[in-house]
Amino acid sequence: MLIPDHETEVDYLNCQAISQTVVELLKDNRKHALTVGIHGDWGAGKSSILKMIEAELSLDEDVAVLWFNGWTFQGFDDAKTVLIENTITELCRQRSKIGKVKEKAAKLLKRVNLLKIAKLSSGVVFNVLTGLPSPAQIETVIDALQSLGQNAANIDASTAPAKLDEIAGLLKPAEDVDNLPETIHQFRKDFQDLLEEAKVKQLVVLIDDLDRCLPATAVQTLEAIRLFLFVPKSAFVIGADEAMIEYAVRQHFPDLPVASGPLPYARNYLEKLIQVPFRIPALGAQETRTYVTLLLVQSIVGEDHDGFDRLLQKAKDALKKPWLGTGLSQADIQDVDDNAKDDLNSAFVLAQQIAPILAEGTKGNPRQIKRFLNALLVRQVIAKARGFGDQIKQPVLAKLMLAERFQPDFYEHISMQAMSANDGKVSDLVVLEAGSQPEKPKEKAKGADKKGSKKEETTLPNETTKWLERDWLKRWLQLEPKLVNEDLRPYVFVARDKRLLTSA
């Protein structure tokens, strides 16, 4: 019933061009450190591109591919150390049987714990010595100390206030990392040794959902990449909306001037961290039509269907030159499955009808398109379950949902009229549908006088004609099917807007 709304390795949007370009770029720069940005709005397909990159790189035994989702780990620990620990731990898991990988990884993780204590000591030592430590702080310190082999087993958060001197003494290892530049240099050297030991020709870390993190988490993750992990043979591919990362930078460094030179500081910061940016383009009308068609067909026959695989390949070929407007034909859709021709034909017609306005309304965002289609399918199922599914026509429902989604005040207006009318028909649509049609060139009758040939103009109510001032609504009114003769009450009812129903 529902179209999956998550990242996928199946390419519906011809994004393989981006993923393959990134893979080639990584292969050509294996000896160097590299950061690549996959930029796009939320729902544009960044995670799917990262999945495609992961799938292709995983076939190469010389490459270690790791996945890191910053949003998943947010709030559990310091963002820098989480990324570093996750990278080392996952690399160790993948290459644990090679040489002394485990020993070298353990050495690096010990350094990470020293960094944790260095961070904690700046605030926690003061709290401990003044008698004001919080239980959460003490537990974090104890865990870090125990991982370093310190004897902190007899201390817990409840007994800590009575053992403040002992805790303060245990925090002394933090002095070993006072020389931060040397610590960073040594860490990077040890990390490079780990890659050599693991027989890794390139380490690729795919970082997803960074733009969903809080500003501090996003900035700390980027800093960890540049400070600790940015060594030869390492590459980072970061999927994020660059506007959100710039916002995070501005929030994290509020005292920065707005700009210096042609670019703002936030953009300069981002460009310093990400060497090669890729921007995912929004879908146009033709691409949206193909995308909607594929999603609807997939919901009918399933993703693992030979006919759908053939259709997907035809779609990819068509999307290579979308400006030609060839797209998928009705015959292509019907050839997918002989047993579902009627449903497939309906899907094709629906895609042709709603794609242009859906592309405009969603600004070509794939996730928003999926959500619209899922809402459409769910409402059809609800209508069927409530016993009036046979009164719901999919094209009519889709057209009304476009208005509901992108012109809510107009949708409310016609819904009120539909629920108030005895036959569920909207009288304003008679005027609006007629007034929205493009004017045809008129031929002047021979010998006709100007006054005599002038067509009598219909005077329309101001409250009705005001809707025709909106170009979007004009295009919507021109869409098939026409609604003037439709009983719209079942469609309004399936939306279950209690306020509208009560008012009517």
Side-chain angles (χ1 to χ4, degrees):
M1 180 178 70
L2 288 178
I3 297 167
D5 186 18
H6 54 71
E7 63 273 5
T8 176
E9 294 175 19
V10 180
D11 186 14
Y12 290 85
L13 302 170
N14 202 29
C15 288
Q16 200 170 12
I18 296 177
S19 66
Q20 287 181 343
T21 303
V22 174
V23 169
E24 289 301 318
L25 178 68
L26 294 173
K27 285 181 179 179
D28 292 342
N29 292 274
R30 285 190 170 177
K31 294 183 179 180
H32 308 288
L34 185 66
T35 51
V36 178
I38 307 295
H39 300 315
D41 300 330
W42 285 350
K46 300 183 294 295
S47 299
S48 293
I49 290 177
L50 291 179
K51 283 290 182 185
M52 293 175 202
I53 294 171
E54 181 184 35
E56 188 156 350
L57 289 176
S58 297
L59 301 175
D60 191 338
E61 294 181 356
D62 293 330
V63 178
V65 187
L66 316 181
W67 187 281
F68 179 78
N69 189 310
W71 196 33
T72 302
F73 293 98
Q74 179 171 273
F76 288 95
D77 208 337
D78 172 53
K80 287 192 184 77
T81 56
V82 167
L83 174 60
I84 297 168
E85 279 184 321
N86 186 80
T87 301
I88 297 169
T89 303
E90 181 60 20
L91 179 61
C92 181
R93 186 190 68 79
Q94 290 188 15
R95 306 276 171 148
S96 59
K97 296 180 181 179
I98 300 176
K100 297 181 179 180
V101 169
K102 285 185 177 180
E103 291 84 345
K104 289 185 177 291
K107 180 182 177 182
L108 271 172
L109 289 173
K110 199 168 185 177
R111 285 191 176 276
V112 175
N113 284 319
L114 279 170
L115 290 170
K116 283 184 181 179
I117 292 180
K119 178 179 173 62
L120 289 166
S121 64
S122 60
V124 178
V125 169
F126 174 79
N127 286 346
V128 169
L129 296 178
T130 56
L132 300 172
S134 72
Q137 286 176 324
I138 293 172
E139 286 179 359
T140 304
V141 172
I142 292 170
D143 290 342
L145 290 171
Q146 287 177 338
S147 67
L148 290 170
Q150 298 288 343
N151 183 21
N154 62 331
I155 302 175
D156 58 42
S158 60
T159 60
K163 300 186 177 183
L164 296 178
D165 293 337
E166 186 175 353
I167 293 174
L170 291 173
L171 284 170
K172 287 181 181 178
E175 296 172 3
D176 298 337
V177 290
D178 280 344
N179 187 357
L180 189 58
E182 180 59 31
T183 301
I184 294 172
H185 174 74
Q186 189 59 47
F187 183 94
R188 294 175 70 171
K189 182 180 181 300
D190 291 345
F191 184 65
Q192 199 166 349
D193 290 343
L194 175 62
L195 296 183
E196 292 288 344
E197 186 68 27
K199 310 296 182 188
V200 171
K201 291 186 178 179
Q202 188 175 44
L203 169 70
V204 179
V205 183
L206 306 174
I207 299 179
D208 194 21
D209 283 342
L210 195 61
D211 49 7
R212 296 191 184 194
C213 297
L214 294 173
T217 302
V219 172
Q220 286 176 15
T221 302
L222 293 171
E223 287 179 347
I225 293 171
R226 297 295 291 193
L227 289 176
F228 296 96
L229 304 177
F230 199 66
V231 301
K233 297 184 180 181
S234 68
F236 296 83
V237 185
I238 303 166
D241 179 355
E242 71 268 46
M244 291 300 296
I245 300 301
E246 288 180 31
Y247 168 78
V249 172
R250 290 196 301 271
Q251 295 298 308
H252 194 69
F253 303 108
D255 296 329
L256 279 177
V258 176
S260 174
L263 293 175
Y265 274 108
R267 175 53 64 95
N268 283 327
Y269 181 92
L270 184 63
E271 291 188 352
K272 181 69 174 175
L273 288 168
I274 296 178
Q275 296 163 298
V276 186
F278 288 85
R279 175 77 188 177
I280 303 174
L283 301 182
Q286 178 61 36
E287 294 160 315
T288 300
R289 186 179 290 111
T290 301
Y291 184 54
V292 171
T293 303
L294 289 173
L295 292 175
L296 291 173
V297 171
Q298 182 259 330
S299 72
I300 295 169
V301 301
E303 195 172 82
D304 300 323
H305 187 284
D306 291 339
F308 180 73
D309 289 341
R310 293 193 301 271
L311 184 69
L312 184 59
Q313 187 55 53
K314 288 180 181 178
K316 288 181 180 180
D317 293 339
L319 287 174
K320 289 176 182 177
K321 297 180 180 179
W323 58 88
L324 296 179
T326 52
L328 295 170
S329 68
Q330 193 164 8
D332 293 333
I333 307 303
Q334 291 179 336
D335 286 344
V336 170
D337 193 323
D338 290 336
N339 298 321
K341 281 192 174 182
D342 291 341
D343 290 339
L344 292 170
N345 187 60
S346 297
F348 175 79
V349 172
L350 179 64
Q352 303 304 305
Q353 291 172 333
I354 68 174
I357 286 187
L358 193 56
E360 179 187 344
T362 62
K363 300 188 185 302
N365 185 285
R367 178 172 295 153
Q368 296 301 320
I369 292 170
K370 275 186 179 180
R371 291 190 173 185
F372 177 87
L373 294 176
N374 275 333
L376 173 66
L377 296 174
V378 166
R379 286 190 178 179
Q380 283 188 281
V381 174
I382 290 173
K384 184 177 179 181
R386 293 187 66 85
F388 58 92
D390 57 337
Q391 298 178 50
I392 297 292
K393 302 173 186 175
Q394 191 180 60
V396 174
L397 178 61
K399 184 173 179 177
L400 283 169
M401 286 179 62
L402 285 172
E404 179 189 17
R405 173 69 177 81
F406 302 117
Q407 299 287 323
D409 57 340
F410 175 74
Y411 174 78
E412 180 177 348
H413 174 72
I414 62 173
S415 296
M416 291 285 291
Q417 282 200 4
M419 297 306 295
S420 301
N422 292 329
D423 57 0
K425 297 177 182 178
V426 177
S427 58
D428 279 4
L429 287 175
V430 177
V431 174
L432 292 173
E433 289 185 353
S436 67
Q437 297 306 310
E439 292 184 7
K440 296 180 181 178
K442 300 172 185 177
E443 292 185 5
K444 187 176 179 182
K446 289 183 181 179
D449 158 282
K450 283 186 181 179
K451 292 183 180 178
S453 64
K454 186 179 179 182
K455 187 177 178 181
E456 216 175 288
E457 294 183 2
T458 308
T459 304
L460 304 177
N462 289 334
E463 290 300 312
T464 301
T465 56
K466 69 176 183 180
W467 301 112
L468 293 175
E469 295 172 4
R470 302 185 187 181
D471 290 336
W472 190 97
L473 275 177
K474 275 189 175 181
R475 291 193 296 275
W476 179 85
L477 289 162
Q478 291 167 13
L479 287 178
E480 293 294 335
K482 302 302 180 187
L483 305 182
V484 65
N485 294 318
E486 295 286 346
D487 181 351
L488 301 185
R489 289 173 296 180
Y491 302 94
V492 177
F493 186 77
V494 79
R496 301 296 293 161
D497 190 327
K498 294 181 179 179
R499 181 171 60 85
L500 286 177
L501 294 175
T502 304
S503 299

